[in-house]
Amino acid sequence: MPIVHIELLEGRTQEQKNEMVKEVTEAIVRTTGAKEEAVSIVISDMSKGNYAVGGKTLVQK
């Protein structure tokens, strides 16, 4: 049973997430032979204030 965890920065629409889930599921099924109903996907939306690069959060200027 494949379990996929995806972390995204906030701001994607539900439609974008739905399409991503569809395509990721198809890729997992195609490459592993798993049944579609066995694929689980967990999406975590992160606030830009909770993600940092180079010592600065994405909300810092």
Side-chain angles (χ1 to χ4, degrees):
M1 170 170 87
I3 303 170
V4 180
H5 294 262
I6 300 173
E7 296 188 36
L8 297 171
L9 290 173
E10 63 190 350
R12 277 29 177 242
T13 66
Q14 188 60 52
E15 291 78 19
Q16 289 172 311
K17 292 181 213 177
N18 292 347
E19 184 63 24
M20 179 184 64
V21 165
K22 177 180 174 272
E23 292 193 24
V24 169
T25 299
E26 290 172 356
I28 296 294
V29 168
R30 184 178 67 254
T31 60
T32 69
K35 294 183 179 184
E36 186 175 289
E37 57 272 10
V39 178
S40 296
I41 298 176
V42 178
I43 300 171
S44 299
D45 281 325
M46 287 184 289
S47 161
K48 292 179 181 179
N50 291 338
Y51 186 80
V53 176
K56 293 183 180 180
T57 65
L58 294 185
V59 295
Q60 286 177 290
K61 302 226 178 197

